[in-house]
């Protein structure tokens, strides 16, 4: 049987979950806790967040109609509250170069916020939707952004200088349900779309008013606005989509706890799908051309790798350290007493992960798109966590080596 990081482990008499909960001691010295910076901003459940260019400011939404801007000065200090929306915020994105924030909400509106004279000034966008907006994201060149909605469409918005406002063109067919997520291709033209109709799709979002004429690419050669280039089936409604750094691959996570990937440079019809044993993922992000981070209701980021064109689970990035005060004999005694003595134990509702509720979003923090060094997660527990990718992977490896050593002792 394989352990959680994909390496073979020796036979054992107790299940891995039983061994972990029994606090089997590790034979090597390990750090007491995961080296993860995290902050509780005190604003309640966080469904989305976004960083400015130098990562000194943070915009978050606490499932309300307000956007909070925090400034780092040894600790996070709230500097602004943006309260133009009427209903809960569903999406925020901070453009690094232009320093503009775009937001969308259940009130069917989107605003572009510009920082002038010490205040954030909103500009209303003509999104032209009749139901709640669900997600929003700037294009790589920051000359347009896309808004997903419950109106079964995607609004691609751009600035019209003649009339001094933001207008939208809409992608509709053949979407048959709520658009849940969007992601831009690195070429600034293609867009990935996930929806509740069990499909992930790739469209052309070429807007001749602001874009240079695109050339052919592995996803397709005809690129007029709204042209459907790929329609990819899923076994559950799609929670999140993400293009790889090269733009050749698209990954998506669905409500059936699956992670899927397709490579346009090989065969768009050849979909690699990994059905996992975990709870559904809410977010997915490429951290290199061959590595993916996914997170959701299991409250821990998880690393997946592409090996020979197929998805493989690598490890959880949030695994609690062992308690050194117990011993193997006491672990066996604990399970032996369950039936013999009808032992009653106090139920501990504290999870063994850093996040105590579902993770809702993953964002790159530092490093290149093809070599992410750090990333952040936010969750319904109100935490923002900063993960050092290399550090957490090394930690997982040390822990699994330690656990394998403990299993060897148990088996002997």
């Amino acid at each position: 049987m394989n352990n959680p990081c994909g390496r073979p482990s020796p036979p054992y008499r107790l299940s891995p979950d039983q061994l972990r909960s029994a606090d089997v001691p590790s034979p090597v010295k390990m750090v007491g806790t995961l080296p993860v910076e995290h902050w509780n901003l005190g604003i309640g459940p966080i469904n989305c967040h976004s960083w400015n260019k130098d990562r000194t400011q943070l915009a978050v939404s606490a499932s309300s109609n307000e956007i909070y801007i925090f400034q780092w000065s040894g600790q996070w200090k709230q500097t602004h509250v943006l309260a133009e929306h009427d209903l809960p915020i569903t999406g925020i994105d901070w453009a690094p170069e232009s320093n503009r924030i775009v937001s969308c909400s259940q009130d069917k509106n989107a605003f572009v916020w510009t920082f002038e004279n010490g205040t954030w000034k909103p500009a209303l966008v003509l999104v032209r939707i009749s139901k709640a907006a669900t997600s929003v994201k700037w294009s790589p060149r920051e000359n347009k952004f896309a808004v997903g909605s419950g109106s079964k469409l995607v609004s691609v918005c751009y600035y019209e200088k003649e009339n001094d406002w933001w207008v939208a063109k809409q992608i509709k067919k053949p979407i048959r349900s709520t658009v849940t997520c969007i992601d831009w291709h690195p070429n600034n033209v293609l867009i990935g779309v996930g929806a509740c109709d069990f499909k992930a799709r790739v469209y052309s979002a070429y807007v001749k008013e602001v874009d240079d004429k695109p050339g052919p690419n592995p996803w397709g050669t005809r690129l007029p606005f709204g042209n459907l280039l790929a329609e990819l089936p899923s076994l559950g409604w799609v929670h999140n989509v993400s293009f790889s750094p090269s733009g050749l691959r698209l990954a998506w996570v669905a409500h059936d706890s699956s992670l899927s990937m397709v490579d346009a440079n090989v065969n768009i019809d050849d979909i690699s799908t990994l059905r996992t044993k975990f709870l559904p993922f809410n977010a997915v992000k490429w951290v290199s051309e061959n590595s993916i981070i996914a997170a959701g209701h299991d409250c821990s980021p998880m690393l997946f790798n592409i090996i020979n064109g197929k998805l493989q689970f690598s490890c959880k990035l949030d695994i609690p350290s062992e308690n050194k005060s117990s011993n193997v004999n006491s672990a066996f005694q604990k399970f032996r007493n369950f039936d013999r003595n009808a032992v009653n134990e106090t139920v501990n509702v504290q999870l063994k992960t850093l996040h105590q509720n579902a993770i809702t979003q993953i964002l790159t923090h530092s490093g290149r798109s093809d070599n992410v060094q750090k990333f952040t997660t936010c969750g319904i527990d109100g935490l923002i966590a900063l993960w050092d990718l290399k550090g957490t992977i090394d930690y997982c490896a040390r822990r699994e080596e330690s656990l394998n050593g403990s299993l060897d002792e148990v088996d002997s």
Side-chain angles (χ1 to χ4, degrees):
M1 183 173 181
N2 291 338
N3 63 36
C5 277
R7 292 185 294 275
S9 56
Y12 45 77
R13 299 184 181 90
L14 300 178
S15 72
D17 289 338
Q18 290 173 324
L19 283 168
R20 293 189 183 100
S21 62
D23 294 323
V24 177
S26 55
V28 298
K29 184 177 180 180
M30 296 181 64
V31 295
T33 57
L34 270 171
V36 180
E37 285 188 83
H38 58 280
W39 309 277
N40 191 327
L41 302 177
I43 60 174
I46 299 174
N47 66 337
C48 53
H49 70 299
S50 190
W51 296 92
N52 72 334
K53 183 177 181 179
D54 60 7
R55 302 320 192 236
T56 58
Q57 295 183 77
L58 177 65
V60 297
S61 169
S63 301
S64 69
N65 66 319
E66 296 177 325
I67 300 171
Y68 299 89
I69 308 294
F70 289 86
Q71 175 83 39
W72 179 258
S73 55
Q75 61 182 0
W76 290 112
K77 180 181 178 182
Q78 183 180 309
T79 56
H80 300 89
V81 178
L82 314 184
E84 196 71 21
H85 286 286
D86 298 323
L87 293 175
I89 307 292
T90 53
I92 307 172
D93 198 18
W94 199 326
E97 302 302 329
S98 62
N99 197 39
R100 293 179 299 199
I101 297 174
V102 63
S103 62
C104 67
S105 165
Q106 293 178 12
D107 62 9
K108 313 170 194 174
N109 290 323
F111 288 97
V112 175
W113 303 83
T114 306
F115 192 67
E116 297 177 0
N117 301 321
T119 60
W120 287 95
K121 297 183 177 180
L124 182 63
V125 182
L126 299 178
V127 189
R128 297 190 294 123
I129 55 178
S130 59
K131 296 182 180 179
T134 57
S135 56
V136 65
K137 193 162 188 178
W138 285 104
S139 68
R141 288 178 54 192
E142 302 175 16
N143 58 353
K144 56 186 177 180
F145 59 87
V147 180
S149 76
S151 296
K152 309 179 191 176
L153 57 83
V154 177
S155 294
V156 179
C157 307
Y158 62 97
Y159 186 68
E160 198 174 71
K161 293 182 179 179
E162 293 79 8
N163 296 309
D164 190 26
W165 58 13
W166 292 84
V167 296
K169 290 187 174 183
Q170 295 181 332
I171 298 173
K172 298 181 180 180
K173 295 180 179 181
I175 303 172
R176 294 182 177 86
S177 189
T178 298
V179 172
T180 55
C181 52
I182 48 182
D183 191 42
W184 285 95
H185 189 281
N187 70 1
N188 203 72
V189 171
L190 305 186
I191 188 170
V193 177
C196 288
D197 60 1
F198 291 33
K199 295 286 194 303
R201 298 178 175 90
V202 177
Y203 289 95
S204 169
Y206 166 64
V207 178
K208 64 180 181 181
E209 288 83 355
V210 296
D211 290 326
D212 298 328
K213 189 173 182 179
N217 65 79
W219 290 99
T221 55
R222 294 185 65 255
L223 301 175
F225 180 83
N227 189 37
L228 178 63
L229 303 175
E231 187 172 62
L232 309 164
S234 175
L235 296 177
W237 60 83
V238 179
H239 283 298
N240 201 217
V241 295
S242 180
F243 276 108
S244 67
S246 68
L248 295 176
R249 291 169 168 170
L250 181 75
W252 65 97
V253 289
H255 198 67
D256 65 335
S257 302
S258 67
L259 170 66
S260 301
M261 184 275 299
V262 67
D263 191 333
N265 210 31
V266 178
N267 184 358
I268 293 179
D269 296 322
D270 185 14
I271 300 173
S272 173
T273 297
L274 183 63
R275 296 288 297 276
T276 72
K277 62 181 180 180
F278 309 114
L279 296 176
F281 301 114
N282 291 325
V284 62
K285 187 73 176 177
W286 293 84
V287 292
S288 72
E289 191 61 30
N290 293 300
S291 299
I292 300 172
I293 297 292
H297 293 274
D298 258 296
C299 309
S300 170
M302 302 183 192
L303 177 67
F304 297 83
N305 292 320
I306 312 296
I307 300 176
N308 297 325
K310 300 297 180 182
L311 286 163
Q312 289 191 17
F313 174 65
S314 179
C315 64
K316 282 190 175 184
L317 298 185
D318 188 355
I319 302 176
S321 60
E322 261 63 36
N323 186 333
K324 320 284 189 302
S325 63
S326 301
N327 56 56
V328 174
N329 289 332
S330 66
F332 276 109
Q333 191 65 39
K334 176 180 178 180
F335 293 105
R336 190 177 293 120
N337 289 339
F338 278 160
D339 291 327
R340 181 183 300 172
N341 300 328
V343 175
N344 291 322
E345 292 193 347
T346 303
V347 177
N348 183 9
V349 297
Q350 185 80 7
L351 299 180
K352 293 185 178 181
T353 53
L354 174 63
H355 279 286
Q356 292 296 296
N357 210 322
I359 294 172
T360 54
Q361 190 181 23
I362 302 171
L363 286 183
T364 299
H365 182 272
S366 56
R368 304 190 315 270
S369 61
D370 60 348
N371 185 22
V372 173
Q373 302 297 315
K374 295 181 179 181
F375 65 92
T376 56
T377 56
C378 66
I380 298 175
D381 57 357
L383 286 185
I384 300 285
L386 175 61
W387 303 82
D388 183 332
L389 190 56
K390 184 178 186 302
T392 50
I393 292 175
D394 289 346
Y395 180 91
C396 286
R398 294 198 304 273
R399 183 194 184 280
E400 290 307 322
E401 289 173 1
S402 168
L403 182 60
N404 286 345
S406 297
L407 293 172
D408 285 334
E409 291 182 7
V410 171
D411 190 58
S412 63

